[in-house]
Every structure is written in structure tokens, then in C-alpha cells.
Amino acid sequence: MALTAPGYVRVHPAFEEPDILLQIAQASGFANLLADERIRVELAEGDLAVYIKRMNVRTAAAGSQSSFTLTAAEFINMSLMSIATYHFSNR
């Protein structure tokens, strides 16, 4: 099993999502997946960035008519996604 867990640099103040984002394939209709089917507003006015932990889990699968040895091939990649926030104002 391989594990990649890199270090990272953060800016403050910032908002960090407490949950982990799992990479999955799923049909659209994302609002049905959210609590109360609504988008949450969590940012404060002074937040400079948004951070969320991401976990990508993959496994290997193989099939054959002849015998062979399949070694463990699980792969877990943990990373931190971030995006800057911008404050726009107009009159």
C-alpha cells in the first residue's frame, strides 16, 4: 500500500472545511447530496482562502484465465485543495 501525505502552507484568516472530500463518480444533482438540499454559506468576510482535505482511494483489479500473482495495489493519496477568495464591492 502506498500513502502520499504532503506538507502544505496556509494563509490566515481562512475557512477550512472539516469534512474530507472523497473522489467518486456520481450522477449530477449535487444539491440532493447536501444537507437540507441547500448550499451552506460558511465564509466570513475576511477569509483569504478556502481549504478542504481530499482523499483519493484507488485499488487494482485484474482477471485472467491463467493463474498469476496479484500483489496488493491499494493507493491512498491525501492532499489539501485550496482556492483564494475575492471580495468585490461596487456602488
Side-chain angles (χ1 to χ4, degrees):
M1 181 170 81
L3 172 65
T4 303
Y8 50 88
V9 176
R10 298 172 36 134
V11 297
H12 292 283
F15 173 73
E16 182 170 345
E17 173 65 35
D19 298 328
I20 295 176
L21 177 67
L22 289 173
Q23 180 175 333
I24 58 174
Q26 191 159 351
S28 186
F30 73 95
N32 298 332
L33 301 172
L34 303 174
D36 300 330
E37 297 184 2
R38 294 184 315 200
I39 295 175
R40 294 179 299 150
V41 178
E42 299 282 342
L43 291 178
E45 186 173 329
D47 288 341
L48 301 175
V50 176
Y51 297 99
I52 185 167
K53 294 179 276 298
R54 177 177 169 265
M55 182 186 302
N56 186 6
V57 180
R58 297 178 187 226
T59 58
S64 175
Q65 292 182 340
S66 62
S67 62
F68 65 96
T69 303
L70 179 63
T71 59
E74 294 85 11
F75 180 75
I76 300 172
N77 184 343
M78 299 178 70
S79 61
L80 183 72
M81 294 174 56
S82 65
I83 188 165
T85 60
Y86 300 93
H87 179 76
F88 294 102
S89 61
N90 59 7
R91 300 191 314 182

